Amino acid sequence: MAQKILYIEDNLLNLRLVRRMVMPDGYVLMDAQDGEHGVMMASKVKPDLILLDMNLPDMHGLETLKMLKEKPETAKIPIIAITANAMVGDRDYYLAAGCDGYIAKPISRKELLNVIAYFVNRDVLNKRKFALARA
Ligand code: MN
């Protein structure tokens, strides 16, 4: 069965971009455009992974993260923070805040697929590593 990814993001261009990046690898991408709907959607569809924009219109991404990690039905879903204007130390900051992973915009397709594979599909990751090792 295809793995489900929920992308909580208000920027439609980013949504479209990420959808195009993950579809060829067979993932199903669902989206929510603010934190409140993201939390509702996550409880309903139980995605395998959540990509979470930190700059949302209704609440900070870390607040959304907290809500997701506090709900028993979503607490175990890996959450990848997505941020713009990345600065040195951001990765450590978001990981310390409870995110399982971190990706800075502009999003690189290779990085995105590797991070997703790391959390939801180790077979794909191993194939990618194997392909890299042979290149
Ligand atoms: Mn945003």
Side-chain angles (χ1 to χ4, degrees):
M1 220 175 75
Q3 277 145 327
K4 291 174 286 188
I5 298 169
L6 172 64
Y7 188 12
I8 306 174
E9 166 70 82
D10 58 308
N11 182 311
L12 297 179
L13 285 175
N14 278 317
L15 274 174
R16 207 184 305 161
L17 181 77
V18 165
R19 177 164 284 119
R20 246 187 272 136
M21 288 177 175
V22 303
M23 267 176 56
D25 275 26
Y27 299 110
V28 172
L29 189 79
M30 283 159 298
D31 66 84
Q33 284 156 39
D34 61 43
E36 189 191 339
H37 286 95
V39 172
M40 272 168 37
M41 181 90 91
S43 304
K44 203 165 70 180
V45 304
K46 312 253 178 5
D48 298 285
L49 180 93
I50 295 172
L51 302 172
L52 177 58
D53 175 33
M54 283 297 138
N55 184 19
L56 294 168
D58 60 332
M59 62 176 91
H60 193 277
L62 288 182
E63 204 178 322
T64 313
L65 173 91
K66 191 163 171 274
M67 291 170 73
L68 289 165
K69 291 296 188 188
E70 278 173 357
K71 282 184 167 234
E73 69 266 35
T74 53
K76 293 206 171 76
I77 303 171
I79 298 179
I80 312 303
I82 310 272
T83 70
N85 308 316
M87 290 186 295
V88 176
D90 275 7
R91 178 181 297 273
D92 293 343
Y93 173 78
Y94 286 106
L95 295 182
C99 296
D100 300 283
Y102 168 86
I103 293 176
K105 293 176 184 171
I107 298 169
S108 127
R109 176 171 191 270
K110 193 171 148 195
E111 184 186 12
L112 177 67
L113 291 175
N114 278 335
V115 169
I116 292 172
Y118 177 80
F119 285 101
V120 309
N121 193 344
R122 287 185 175 270
D123 284 352
V124 170
L125 183 70
N126 289 336
K127 274 181 214 144
R128 283 180 180 277
K129 271 191 178 153
F130 184 65
L132 278 175
R134 285 170 56 106

